[in-house]
Structure formats: C-alpha cells, structure tokens
Amino acid sequence: MKNNKIDKLAEGHGNVKDLMEFWDADAAVARITEIYTKNVDLIRRTFLDIAESKKLPKKLPKLEEATYPYLGITVTQKNLNIDHRIAFGAALESNTYGTTLTRPDIFQTYYKRQVELLIDHHKTPVLVGESDWPIPLPFITDWDSITFQPEQLWQSSIEFALPNLSVVDDSIVNGTYKVKKGQPHPLALFTAERVDFSLGRLHHYCGTSAKHFQQFILLTNYQHYVNEFIKYAHNCLEDCDEYTAFVEPGDFVTPNTRLNLESASGHKIHILPQMPAYHLKKKNNQGITFINIGVGPTNAKTITDHLAVLRPHCWLMLGHCAGLRRSQRLGDYVLAHAYVREDHVLNDDIPSWVPVPAIAEIQVALQEAVGNITGESGLSLKSRMRTGTIVSTDNRNWELRSQEMMERFRQSRAIALDMESATVAANGFRMRIPYGTLLCISDKPIHGELKFRGMALNFYQQSVAQHLHIGIETIRLLEQELRKGDIAIHSRKLRTFDEPPFR
C-alpha cells in the first residue's frame, strides 16, 4: 500500500529506498546503524564464504542492494527558521538536503547531535533510508585476517563494489559541487565513500584504527614532543580517572585499570608508520590525539585531508620555527595570527588569494595557556610570546635563498618561518575545522644563530615539555568552553553562504 506522506517527503531525495521519517535523533541513528550493519554483514559474509571455499555460491546475493544508509531532510520556507547566531546544524535556504552515512560505530555521537539540531531548528522530521550508493568491499574488509588475495578479487566474476574515485572528491568542501537535477543538496561536507576512503588512509599513515582518534588533535613536526606525550599519557593513567586508555601505533592499548572501560590489546610496533598517532582517550572520544606529521607541507596536507572527515573540534600545530626578528630569543613562542602561504600544496583546492583568518576562540585559549603554564603575564608574557605572521615554505633549505626571501619577509611583517603551519591552518579553513598555531623558536638563521646538533639536543630538552603542556592546557580550556554550548569554538567565519547543515 502506498504511503502518500512518505512519497511526498521523498520528492527531491533521489533514488532512496525504504524511507522512514523520524522526529527522534536516537531512533534515526538506530535505523542508520541497522541499515549499515545489515548491508555490511551481507557483503562481508559473502566475501568470507568465497575466500574460505575458493568458489562462488550457487545463488549469488544481491550485492548491488548492499548500499550506504541515507539521511535527508526537506526544509520549506515555512520551517526555515534561520538563527543567525549558530554556525551549523541548520539549512540556510529552503530545499531538500541529503547525504550518505557510514561507520555509525565511530560517528554515532556526531550523527545524533547533528540530527537533534536539524529537528530542533526546523521543526520537521528527518528521513532515513537506503541510498543507491553501494558500499565498496575494500572499506569493510580486514585484509590481514584472510588468505584471499586482492588480485583474486579483481579477477572474480562476482561483482563486489569497488571504490569509485570518479565520484569521490572534495568538491563539496571546495565549493565547486554542482547539484544534479533530481538530487538533494549536500547535507554534509563529505559523502560516506569519501569518509571511508580517509578512515583507511588514517590507519595506513598513523598506524592506529580510526575508532581511536579523539576530537582534540595536536600536530607536531618533531619526535621529541611525542616522547614527552607518551610520558604524560602514562602518568595520567596512573594518577587520574579522566582518561580511559592510551593507544599507540599497532593499536597497542594501555587501559586505565581502575575504570575497566577498555582492555589491554594490540602490540607495539618497532617500525613506525609515516605519521604515527597516539591517542589519550576519554569517553565519547573527547580526549587528545597527538600526531607526529614529520617535516613539510605535503605531509601536513595529507594528514589533515583525512583527519577532516572525523569532524574534530579543532587541530593545533605545535612545533619549532625559525625566528626572523633580532629581538627574539631561542625558546620564545610565536602565536600565529596570519600566514604567508609559500607551501603551494593547497593552491588547487584553496587559491592563495583566499585569506586564512585567525580563530578568536583558539587564539584566546592559546595565549591563556601560555600564561598558565609559564606563570608569566603582562609585559613579561609579551616578552616571551610574540603574535604575528608566520611564513610556511616548501623549501627545506630556504636558508640558502634567504637573501631573496628577505624582501618578502619585510613586506609581510613575518616574525617566524616554518614548513607546515600555513598548510595546517589553510586546510582547517577549507575543511571548516578550527585551527591554531603556537611555535617555539629553535634558531635564527638570518641572524647567524644556526641550529647545530649539540645546541639542538640541549634546546629540545629544555623547551619541549613546557611547549607540549601549553598545548594540552589549551585543549583543557577549549573543552571548558565547549561544555557551555556546541558553538563555542566553531566559528561562523569558517562557513560559507550556501553551507551544508552538518558541522
């Protein structure tokens, strides 16, 4: 029997099956989870049966029907209800909106909050159904646990869905997406397949499963900071019950044994991945993820491209830089309020003429954290930390061209130079992730104060611990603000005029 009400609501949502309307966020997310689990189980079970038996089943299941869940909403002029104070969670114009979703085990809390906001702001139900976008097999299969070789899969006559890179791109976040006739406007910045693509890459580059990543992210370009973070994390597990576990590459889990919320598992790996990640976990993933991204803007872009699908509250760059002013001293801090982008790696995605503004809430927290950790204030704090423009270059040996660069340093009023910060900030702006940079001056090459091995080791021992604790204190302050309301650190300046409603 036809449901005229559902048929009416389904208009403009494309080829979606079994649509149901929901006024309750928990119920909507439960239905999303049910669809995803059912379809993933069908694909995985079929694949494992073939892998074990080495032959095709007599009756092939309809794998083309194993698709991603779909979430949509229809916003009319009547229920538009724009609240100009909010940064996300509402449609900015009347239309149909929709997106495919994935991994409700990771994104359950995020999905629930976004659905709650949509229903609350527009006083209309959301729609949940099964999309026409098949779930690719490689995104749901643990290749380490099976003997079936990928080459056998490609040659198999059974038609498992494979990733379709012709439709997996960043056109939504880049503002170049064109809505096709009969299709909804984007509800989120990333489709399900784009999210799954990045979750796999995070595991590859960082050595830990996507489920361990936390909502506050610290990035660095030196292993010394990681060593200090490992010590800090283990001390936290011994001394307090704020954190539930610590996870290192290899998914090596050290639980807080007093809480009994996680079990020890995994194993430490001796050969670290390209950008190892460490996770000091809290309930609902509100802890800290710390990643050594290494040196250079390419790494910075690579990792933030993939971190963005997790929709973290923020990411902060802590690292070393070259001081450009004679008055600066080794060990002084630089709080970036502007960036000169000579890194070039993002020019195709976000043109160099696009300004990258400082995020006020992040700046305030970083400055307050420096004061709290150093114990300095007023003029004393100003002499220790300078706010200004940072140049990020893609030339590791920029010192050999410093005379050519001096004119640009003067014109930009730059006070420091590194290789990653502008990339991290620009990709934060592009991906709508609040960002900030606090660097520590480790040398002053244009004034003859070069960093050599002995000096460097001594400097690292003295500066790294304090700098790391400033980053952790910044997160504590931001988390405090976040408890006051979801929009506390999600600045409206990151959003454009025709933005998808999801954060």
Side-chain angles (χ1 to χ4, degrees):
M1 190 162 121
K2 289 189 74 176
N3 186 329
N4 292 330
K5 183 180 179 183
I6 290 293
D7 288 345
K8 182 67 175 175
L9 288 171
E11 291 179 4
H13 287 281
N15 300 320
V16 183
K17 298 183 303 181
D18 301 328
L19 269 179
M20 298 173 63
E21 67 170 35
F22 293 90
W23 287 91
D24 177 74
D26 284 318
V29 174
R31 177 60 179 153
I32 290 165
T33 303
E34 180 186 5
I35 293 170
Y36 181 79
T37 303
K38 176 196 69 171
N39 291 340
V40 165
D41 284 349
L42 173 62
I43 300 169
R44 190 174 285 149
R45 189 171 60 250
T46 302
F47 175 71
L48 290 177
D49 285 347
I50 297 171
E52 290 172 5
S53 66
K54 307 295 192 227
K55 61 183 180 180
L56 297 179
K58 291 181 179 178
K59 185 178 180 180
L60 295 178
K62 295 182 179 179
L63 293 177
E64 69 276 6
E65 295 181 2
T67 59
Y68 285 112
Y70 173 87
L71 176 70
I73 189 170
T74 299
V75 179
T76 65
Q77 198 66 37
K78 179 182 176 181
N79 55 28
L80 193 55
N81 187 32
I82 296 176
D83 183 343
H84 296 284
R85 297 169 298 174
I86 64 174
F88 58 88
L92 301 179
E93 58 184 40
S94 57
N95 228 313
T96 58
Y97 297 85
T99 188
T100 50
L101 302 177
T102 188
R103 296 299 300 271
D105 57 316
I106 293 177
F107 295 105
Q108 182 179 38
T109 301
Y110 170 73
Y111 289 160
K112 179 186 173 185
R113 183 56 180 151
Q114 304 311 302
V115 171
E116 283 176 341
L117 291 171
L118 287 173
I119 294 173
D120 182 57
H121 286 143
H122 297 297
K123 313 304 181 195
T124 193
V126 296
L127 302 172
V128 177
E130 300 194 43
S131 72
D132 59 353
W133 201 320
I135 301 173
L137 173 68
F139 293 154
I140 61 170
T141 303
D142 181 6
W143 294 99
D144 295 332
S145 63
I146 58 177
T147 58
F148 195 76
Q149 295 301 313
E151 308 85 67
Q152 295 173 267
L153 170 64
W154 316 145
Q155 297 163 10
S156 171
S157 60
I158 189 168
E159 293 187 1
F160 289 103
L162 300 177
N164 183 0
L165 295 185
S166 68
V167 292
V168 178
D169 57 33
D170 282 336
S171 57
I172 301 175
V173 291
N174 288 348
T176 59
Y177 181 79
K178 306 296 182 185
V179 178
K180 297 177 182 177
K181 187 176 181 180
Q183 296 296 314
H185 287 248
L187 182 64
L189 291 165
F190 301 104
T191 63
E193 193 166 345
R194 170 65 173 84
V195 172
D196 276 339
F197 175 80
S198 281
L199 296 183
R201 287 295 174 93
L202 284 175
H203 199 166
H204 170 73
Y205 286 118
C206 298
T208 57
S209 300
K211 65 182 180 181
H212 294 305
F213 282 76
Q214 302 295 288
Q215 284 291 291
F216 293 94
I217 296 175
L218 293 176
L219 306 173
T220 190
N221 50 9
Y222 282 96
Q223 182 65 25
H224 299 81
Y225 285 83
V226 172
N227 297 338
E228 191 65 33
F229 185 70
I230 292 172
K231 287 194 293 184
Y232 173 83
H234 284 292
N235 288 338
C236 284
L237 296 184
E238 291 176 6
D239 298 339
C240 70
D241 292 338
E242 186 178 6
Y243 297 100
T244 62
F246 180 55
V247 183
E248 302 173 60
D251 283 342
F252 181 69
V253 178
T254 304
N256 187 328
T257 54
R258 293 184 303 279
L259 299 180
N260 289 322
L261 295 175
E262 297 203 38
S263 302
S265 59
H267 61 280
K268 282 190 177 182
I269 54 179
H270 300 294
I271 300 177
L272 289 176
Q274 185 175 345
M275 291 178 268
Y278 302 79
H279 313 281
L280 187 53
K281 300 179 68 172
K282 277 187 180 180
K283 292 179 181 178
N284 296 322
N285 289 354
Q286 298 302 302
I288 303 170
T289 285
F290 194 92
I291 306 174
N292 178 7
I293 66 175
V295 175
T298 303
N299 276 8
K301 178 186 182 298
T302 297
I303 200 64
T304 50
D305 276 350
H306 302 309
L307 287 171
V309 305
L310 299 172
R311 309 316 297 151
H313 293 314
C314 64
W315 56 48
L316 307 177
M317 180 69 198
L318 304 179
H320 291 157
C321 65
L324 300 180
R325 302 299 176 93
R326 192 174 296 279
S327 59
Q328 293 169 318
R329 300 162 299 178
L330 301 189
D332 282 354
Y333 295 112
V334 173
L335 175 59
H337 76 176
Y339 304 87
V340 175
R341 292 172 51 199
E342 295 201 346
D343 48 350
H344 306 299
V345 298
L346 276 166
N347 289 1
D348 290 338
D349 296 299
I350 178 170
S352 58
W353 53 262
V354 174
V356 179
I359 307 299
E361 298 84 357
I362 303 291
Q363 299 295 99
V364 169
L366 280 166
Q367 181 166 315
E368 185 176 345
V370 174
N372 291 349
I373 298 300
T374 64
E376 297 172 346
S377 60
L379 290 176
S380 176
L381 180 61
K382 284 182 176 291
S383 69
R384 182 71 196 280
M385 182 187 73
R386 189 155 182 171
T387 302
T389 298
I390 289 178
V391 176
S392 285
T393 179
D394 57 1
N395 182 357
R396 181 60 190 88
N397 295 315
W398 66 272
E399 296 95 335
L400 303 179
R401 303 175 68 95
S402 60
Q403 292 307 308
E404 298 175 29
M405 300 176 74
M406 286 291 286
E407 184 175 332
R408 294 200 293 281
F409 292 161
R410 294 191 189 97
Q411 290 173 331
S412 66
R413 313 298 195 270
I415 62 172
L417 179 144
D418 80 340
M419 297 189 69
E420 302 85 20
S421 294
T423 313
V424 170
N427 228 14
F429 181 80
R430 171 182 169 234
M431 299 292 190
R432 287 72 157 173
I433 307 293
Y435 49 86
T437 300
L438 183 74
L439 301 180
C440 187
I441 295 174
S442 60
D443 61 349
K444 294 165 57 181
I446 65 173
H447 302 293
E449 297 182 34
L450 301 176
K451 181 168 54 182
F452 295 110
R453 185 175 182 276
M455 292 170 55
L457 290 175
N458 183 54
F459 169 76
Y460 295 146
Q461 291 170 357
Q462 295 175 1
S463 69
V464 166
Q466 184 183 78
H467 195 185
L468 174 66
H469 282 272
I470 290 170
I472 294 169
E473 173 69 1
T474 302
I475 288 174
R476 186 189 70 80
L477 295 171
L478 291 171
E479 191 178 14
Q480 240 178 22
E481 287 300 307
L482 195 62
R483 291 196 193 107
K484 300 176 184 177
D486 250 352
I487 64 173
I489 59 173
H490 290 280
S491 176
R492 287 180 294 175
K493 67 167 64 78
L494 296 177
R495 314 278 288 179
T496 187
F497 53 81
D498 54 356
E499 193 76 1
F502 269 27
R503 172 171 71 80

